[in-house]
Amino acid sequence: MTTSDVRQQLAAHLTRLWRYGLVLSRNRDLAEELVQSTCVRALERSAQYTPGTRIDRWLFSILHSIWISDLRARHVRQGQGFVPSEELIAPDTHGQDEDRIHYQKIMQRVNDLPEAQRNTLFLVYVEGFTYQEAADTLSVPIGTVMSRLATARAQLAKTLDARPAAKEKRS
């Protein structure tokens, strides 16, 4: 794949990359830096992309790798620049306050989860990655992804009213 091909694909995935950067860093400025670093690295290493595979997974893996490297470099494991749940954009509920309040409760509970569980939830439920794709992106075994999701679901279920579960891809 050429650099110009990667550049076109990057443009199509910038919003998703920024959203994942925000989930990881919980800070808008750090999310911007992560996406910029991801773009630079993807362009520099465009020859390493394997044609026929999902480029979004490749880009998410680059972003995740940069995040982990930054964490190690700063000796910081958690708690940088939290984004208050009030600042997160709620979906359009057409004036249904009950749904908006429920959404805010969910987002607060998700934000309170440990980072590893929060990141795994994001990849599977928001980005629609399969368990295997999430495992590959996070560089962990698929069993770890399954365990993190089960633990996160159990934790969320403790404090929230039961609502239908989001559809997930297990393969």
Side-chain angles (χ1 to χ4, degrees), residues 10 34-46 62 66:
L10 278 169
L34 280 169
V35 171
Q36 289 175 3
S37 297
T38 300
C39 291
V40 169
R41 188 168 297 170
L43 291 170
E44 289 173 346
R45 300 180 181 177
S46 59
I62 291 171
I66 291 169

Side-chain angles (χ1 to χ4, degrees), residues 39-108:
C39 291
V40 169
R41 188 168 297 170
L43 291 170
E44 289 173 346
R45 300 180 181 177
S46 59
Q48 293 178 355
Y49 171 71
T50 306
T53 61
R54 287 181 51 180
I55 195 161
D56 62 338
R57 279 189 46 218
W58 182 65
L59 294 170
F60 274 71
S61 294
I62 291 171
L63 191 143
H64 187 261
S65 175
I66 291 169
W67 171 247
I68 294 300
S69 295
D70 286 351
L71 283 179
R72 288 180 182 143
R74 295 180 198 157
H75 300 293
V76 175
R77 290 289 173 206
Q78 193 172 355
Q80 284 189 334
F82 291 111
V83 176
S85 61
E86 303 85 52
E87 290 184 26
L88 298 174
I89 298 171
D92 182 16
T93 60
H94 304 290
Q96 298 174 355
D97 288 337
E98 187 176 303
D99 287 344
R100 183 181 53 77
I101 290 168
H102 184 74
Y103 175 79
Q104 287 176 333
K105 286 180 184 177
I106 291 171
M107 289 309 301
Q108 184 59 49

Side-chain angles (χ1 to χ4, degrees), residues 92-156:
D92 182 16
T93 60
H94 304 290
Q96 298 174 355
D97 288 337
E98 187 176 303
D99 287 344
R100 183 181 53 77
I101 290 168
H102 184 74
Y103 175 79
Q104 287 176 333
K105 286 180 184 177
I106 291 171
M107 289 309 301
Q108 184 59 49
R109 293 299 302 152
V110 169
N111 277 331
D112 291 342
L113 290 172
E115 182 178 349
Q117 291 174 13
R118 190 176 62 248
N119 295 346
T120 305
L121 276 174
F122 176 81
L123 290 175
V124 173
Y125 292 117
V126 177
E127 289 301 328
F129 282 22
T130 65
Y131 286 11
Q132 187 61 56
E133 290 168 341
D136 293 344
T137 300
L138 298 170
S139 300
V140 297
I142 192 169
T144 301
V145 167
M146 294 167 67
S147 175
R148 287 177 183 175
L149 290 174
T151 304
R153 284 191 299 258
Q155 185 65 28
L156 292 172

